[in-house]
Amino acid sequence: MNLLFLESLVYVANLGSLAEAARAQGLTATAVSQRLKALEGLTGTALIARSGKTVALTEAGQRILPHARQVLDEQRRLLQALDQQSLCGRVELGVISTGMTGLLPSVLCKLGAKESPGKDLEVKLHPGTSAQLYNRMLQDELDAIVISAAPFALPKTLISDQLHQEPLCLIGAAGQITASDQQPKPEQLHDLIRQAPFIRYDRNAWGGRLVERYLRVHQIQVKEFCELDALEAIAVLVNSGLGLALVPDWPQPWIQGLKLDKVILPDTEYARQILLLRKRSSRKETAISYLAGLFKEAARNLLVSKASV
């Protein structure tokens, strides 16, 4: 079956006129009519009904319309997949939860702008933890991922772009940490962590391992209240006065309505590194590199906004 026949059927269904469908395709009305007749001959049934200058799909035409659109869409994707330099097509992008609310909105706004070279790029988002997204990318389920740095050396088959880093911070309910205007010293913060109930960032999470290493190196024994892998949930529990927590200082916005004390720890070696990873041999390298540039720009703007506060 000639796909141009299906294309004309879709145009007629959308525009309701042979003349308009012909104009949109750069054809004559006679040529469009001949295509439709040929399609009706192949299917053995009437697909359009004429009423004056307008045309409408018959019941049979309506039944095959969604399938025609699907076939044409798959054809478009096939051609895009052959174009290595194309900024069209679909990218399967995995992003950790704090990246979804922090860097991602700015990236998607720039991507969708009318003047953007990637405005026709379709991005399918997949949430998950760093470990989950990393494994899915290795299994070719995802084209690129925004995650925290892995606690092991990455294989050379991957390309890594560092976006930004998030220092560890101690958070508590308002007045629980900074009772005065003076910044608490590290020793004072350590004493607070030892004394208060501790809401632990999951040790199985890659970022949570940084917290565990900090506690171990500084020989801090905690009174563990609970252990969670969702940073937003930890912040909510801390806001309720249930305990203190050590978490990465992830980008705004945090959950609205929280009234937290937050003290950034000076030890930058425990900062959570946020990376964009993709396979070196990806057939979507052009599109992914473009996305990486948008993420880097969003990260730079984040640093500028923090510096101006």
Side-chain angles (χ1 to χ4, degrees):
M1 180 180 293
N2 193 325
L3 296 186
L4 295 177
F5 298 169
L6 296 179
E7 184 179 68
S8 290
L9 181 72
V10 170
Y11 270 103
V12 168
N14 291 341
L15 300 174
S17 163
L18 286 175
E20 291 296 327
R23 188 176 297 112
Q25 294 180 272
L27 301 171
T28 64
T30 301
V32 172
S33 180
Q34 289 173 344
R35 285 185 177 183
L36 296 176
K37 286 181 180 178
L39 184 59
E40 288 176 330
L42 288 170
T43 59
T45 185
L47 299 175
I48 63 169
R50 293 172 175 81
S51 177
K53 294 183 179 181
T54 63
V55 292
L57 266 60
T58 64
E59 182 180 348
Q62 291 289 352
R63 286 201 303 271
I64 72 168
L65 180 62
H67 301 288
R69 286 175 171 153
Q70 183 177 0
V71 168
L72 293 172
D73 189 49
E74 289 300 325
Q75 179 199 36
R76 175 180 60 84
R77 291 179 180 174
L78 182 149
L79 294 175
Q80 289 170 354
L82 295 174
D83 184 0
Q84 291 290 338
Q85 302 303 314
S86 175
L87 284 178
C88 300
R90 178 166 169 158
V91 172
E92 305 288 342
L93 179 66
V95 185
I96 57 176
S97 62
T98 52
M100 287 277 190
T101 57
L103 298 177
L104 188 63
S106 172
V107 170
L108 294 182
C109 286
K110 290 185 178 297
L111 185 67
K114 290 183 179 179
E115 66 278 7
S116 169
K119 62 181 181 297
D120 295 324
L121 187 64
E122 180 184 356
V123 178
K124 172 66 174 178
L125 298 175
H126 300 264
T129 66
S130 294
Q132 289 169 347
L133 297 176
Y134 179 79
N135 289 329
R136 291 187 64 188
M137 186 185 67
L138 293 184
Q139 295 169 9
D140 292 325
E141 295 178 10
L142 301 176
D143 299 310
I145 53 177
V146 176
I147 62 172
S148 59
F152 49 80
L154 295 173
K156 294 182 180 180
T157 54
L158 299 182
I159 299 176
S160 171
D161 290 303
Q162 181 169 324
L163 301 179
H164 69 101
Q165 63 179 17
E166 302 165 352
L168 286 185
C169 63
L170 181 64
I171 57 174
Q176 195 172 5
I177 300 175
T178 55
S180 65
D181 294 335
Q182 293 183 344
Q183 180 83 356
K185 297 179 180 180
E187 296 80 8
Q188 294 173 309
L189 295 177
H190 295 171
D191 287 339
L192 286 173
I193 296 172
R194 292 185 180 99
Q195 295 166 9
F198 189 72
I199 301 173
R200 186 188 290 272
Y201 184 15
D202 188 358
R203 282 164 283 196
N204 292 318
W206 291 353
R209 297 187 190 186
L210 295 171
V211 173
E212 175 62 17
R213 184 158 63 91
Y214 183 91
L215 296 174
R216 186 175 64 253
V217 169
H218 291 87
Q219 299 181 336
I220 301 174
Q221 295 290 331
V222 299
K223 301 175 181 178
E224 189 169 309
F225 175 69
C226 63
E227 185 169 0
L228 297 171
D229 65 356
L231 291 173
E232 295 88 347
I234 291 175
V236 170
L237 294 182
V238 169
N239 183 70
S240 300
L242 295 173
L244 302 179
L246 278 174
V247 294
D249 185 25
W250 72 87
Q252 298 291 339
W254 285 37
I255 297 174
Q256 291 185 349
L258 299 183
K259 297 180 179 180
L260 298 173
D261 283 348
K262 181 169 68 172
V263 179
I264 305 297
L265 300 183
D267 299 317
T268 56
E269 65 178 292
Y270 300 98
R272 184 172 74 157
Q273 309 294 325
I274 301 300
L275 311 175
L276 187 146
L277 293 180
R278 74 270 199 189
K279 287 190 174 181
R280 195 173 295 276
S281 59
S282 174
R283 61 181 175 81
K284 301 179 183 178
E285 174 57 28
T286 300
I288 297 173
S289 293
Y290 179 73
L291 282 175
L294 294 182
F295 271 103
K296 290 178 182 178
E297 182 182 357
R300 288 193 296 269
N301 292 337
L302 174 66
L303 292 176
V304 171
S305 64
K306 279 191 173 183
S308 62
V309 174

